[in-house]
Amino acid sequence: MVDFELASPAFGDGDPIPREYGYTERNVNPPLRVSGVPEGTASLALVVDDPDAAEPAGKVWDHWLVWNLPPDTAEIPEDWEPSSVGAVEGQNDFGETGYGGPNPPDREHTYEFRLYALDTTLDVRAGAGRDEFEDAATGHLVASASLSGTYAP
């Protein structure tokens, strides 16, 4: 069995995220690759956040929330439109629906990309926030995979 994994051809785990994916640059999502989705997965969800923002912003900063990706998703292309596969995007902490790239205010931050395999699809409206997403996903986790990258101002 292949382990559930999330990777990117644009950067390795723990490596710098290329500048073009930053909020003040092109502000498009980096390409991602998914492998080893476990049996029993009904949908996938992706959360991209910045735990290092807790000090300057007073909270973990949400950069991208996407749910109801098909379980056979093997690739998320650069500058992806989730609605093209029926996935739903939530509101990030920039107050926008969709991807908001890295934008650290003070120093290099580590950004976490987490992919969740869920045993259901979520009945959560587009533009919902992280709390609503997490409430709906609670109790439905099959497995998770993660990738991290760094970005400096």
Side-chain angles (χ1 to χ4, degrees):
M1 168 146 177
V2 177
D3 290 335
F4 186 37
E5 291 184 354
L6 179 64
S8 177
F11 64 96
D13 190 35
D15 290 343
I17 298 168
R19 303 289 314 159
E20 65 188 291
Y21 303 114
Y23 189 75
T24 60
E25 301 295 329
R26 285 184 55 222
N27 197 35
V28 297
N29 68 277
L32 301 169
R33 292 189 180 138
V34 178
S35 61
V37 175
E39 281 193 40
T41 299
S43 71
L44 300 171
L46 177 67
V47 173
V48 179
D49 63 23
D50 174 6
D52 291 336
E55 188 174 318
K59 64 186 279 318
V60 172
W61 194 267
D62 294 325
H63 286 264
W64 200 19
L65 305 171
V66 186
W67 53 89
N68 294 346
L69 286 81
D72 63 353
T73 299
E75 184 177 346
I76 295 171
E78 179 181 280
D79 197 16
W80 180 59
E81 180 52 55
S83 63
S84 67
V85 297
V88 180
E89 292 180 289
Q91 183 171 322
N92 61 40
D93 282 328
F94 294 108
E96 303 161 353
T97 298
Y99 175 82
N103 191 27
D106 55 351
R107 60 179 171 79
E108 180 179 274
H109 285 205
T110 297
Y111 293 82
E112 298 292 335
F113 293 69
R114 283 188 298 282
L115 188 66
Y116 300 103
L118 305 174
D119 65 5
T120 189
T121 55
L122 302 180
D123 184 19
V124 179
R125 65 181 172 80
R130 177 116 176 220
D131 289 344
E132 193 173 338
F133 158 74
E134 286 182 344
D135 287 349
T138 297
H140 295 288
L141 182 66
V142 174
S144 65
S146 65
L147 169 70
S148 67
T150 61
Y151 198 91

